[in-house]
Each structure stands twice: as C-alpha cells, then as structure tokens.
Amino acid sequence: MNKDEVLEEKKVLGSGGYAFVNLSEEEELQFNLGVPHLFLGHIGRLDSEKFLRYYCKKCAKEYSGSPRIEYENLNENVGEGVILLEKGEYKCMNCNNIIAQYRKFNK
Ligand SMILES: [Zn+2]
C-alpha cells in the first residue's frame, strides 16, 4: 500500500499568484494548516517537476510549468535555538514578480 503513488492536482496560494502542483495525500496532510487553502509560503521548496502551471498576478496570466525558484541556505541562528535554515522565493519566469516567499526553520 503506497499512497504516494496517488497524486492529486492541488491549488497552492502565494502573495503574487498561485500555482497548481501534484501532491500525494501524505504531502497534502503534511502541508495542510487546517484551513481550506494550501500556501506555497508554508510548503517551502517543492521540486519544480511537481508544478503543472502557475498564475502571475502581475502578468494576469497563467504559465505552464514551474515558477523560478531562488533560494539560499543560511543556517542563521535567530535565537533561542531556532535556526533559519533556508529562505527562498518563487518568481515569475516572465516578469520576475514574486509569486511566493518562504522561510524554513529547524522547528
Ligand atoms: Zn509575471
């Protein structure tokens, strides 16, 4: 029994647009905040192959494939044992508009 094999197309929201990605049931549960929407900023870095298409608010247009992902590994101690591991941005391939930003902490 491997639920990872079943992928579903899900809409994930960002401040500058949204995207459609393929998520397994397990991933969806992991990324779900108990609200009706999934957020790219909460999910963090996803493999570009998981993206089907995205919408850029600035272009007011949908593009197929993945937005560009730019990220840095920081390992920056932000205090009280919390380490900022990585921060990144999803950007529109066409106009560089930021579709979503995320920060990944050690906890
Ligand atoms: Zn754009």
Side-chain angles (χ1 to χ4, degrees):
M1 197 176 81
N2 189 357
K3 284 184 176 174
D4 286 343
E5 298 301 315
V6 185
L7 294 174
E8 269 193 80
E9 187 180 322
K10 292 286 169 191
K11 186 177 182 178
V12 290
L13 305 179
S15 55
Y18 56 79
F20 288 92
V21 297
N22 277 322
L23 293 181
S24 68
E25 204 172 316
E26 200 174 301
E27 286 169 322
E28 199 199 330
L29 285 173
Q30 187 191 331
F31 299 142
N32 198 316
L33 292 171
V35 293
H37 302 292
L38 293 164
F39 296 94
L40 264 180
H42 176 67
I43 291 172
R45 181 151 48 96
L46 270 181
D47 207 17
S48 61
E49 282 157 30
K50 288 183 136 328
F51 285 82
L52 300 162
R53 59 190 193 275
Y54 72 93
Y55 175 83
C56 170
K57 271 186 193 170
K58 202 172 165 190
C59 297
K61 208 173 156 184
E62 236 180 44
Y63 296 98
S64 61
S66 164
R68 198 171 65 246
I69 305 170
E70 287 177 4
Y71 66 93
E72 301 176 76
N73 289 113
L74 296 165
N75 282 318
E76 188 183 310
N77 194 336
V78 291
E80 304 193 10
V82 180
I83 295 163
L84 175 58
L85 298 173
E86 184 180 310
K87 69 174 181 186
E89 291 173 339
Y90 288 93
K91 288 183 171 178
C92 176
M93 291 279 195
N94 187 52
C95 74
N96 253 4
N97 175 39
I98 295 168
I99 308 290
Q101 290 174 299
Y102 69 87
R103 279 172 163 67
K104 191 179 160 194
F105 297 94
N106 63 332
K107 53 181 160 186

